[in-house]
Amino acid sequence: MISYNKGVFSPVPATFEGTGNSAFFCYFKAMFTVYALYSEKFDKIYIGFTSDLQKRLISHNELGTKGWTIKFRPWKLVYNLSVRYLPSSRNA
């Protein structure tokens, strides 16, 4: 188990219980992925962001029942970029 302070972007000391070791790291509330999909059949591109890329791809290609992307299936992932917090992902 790791203990840490819940500072958003501040480096904080962490202790790994049971090992006596400590580390210095940054704690971030969430990790996001900016992604681009391509529909070869319809020559369409879709750009989005998510915190769970695998589930989101399944939603775009299989599970989704409404929205713009269901009309242009199948989608292929052509680009993805992991970012530490959402404001960065919107500027990627």
Side-chain angles (χ1 to χ4, degrees):
M1 178 179 274
I2 301 173
S3 63
Y4 54 85
N5 295 327
K6 290 190 177 185
V8 177
F9 301 111
S10 303
V12 294
T15 304
F16 300 88
E17 288 182 16
T19 64
N21 296 327
S22 63
F24 206 71
F25 73 101
C26 293
Y27 170 76
F28 295 93
K29 286 195 176 203
M31 189 74 156
F32 289 91
T33 301
V34 177
Y35 62 94
L37 303 177
Y38 178 67
S39 171
E40 202 170 325
K41 183 176 179 180
F42 297 97
D43 195 31
K44 299 285 185 186
I45 296 172
Y46 177 84
I47 298 171
F49 64 92
T50 183
S51 60
D52 189 333
L53 183 58
Q54 187 174 14
K55 283 183 183 176
R56 193 69 181 119
L57 291 174
I58 292 169
S59 177
H60 282 301
N61 278 315
E62 298 169 24
L63 301 178
T65 59
K66 61 182 180 179
W68 187 81
T69 60
I70 67 164
K71 298 178 262 185
F72 305 108
R73 290 174 176 164
W75 292 98
K76 281 190 344 186
L77 180 67
V78 293
Y79 176 80
N80 69 81
L81 172 70
S82 294
V83 293
R84 294 200 186 268
Y85 63 103
L86 193 53
S88 288
S89 64
R90 290 189 175 182
N91 295 325

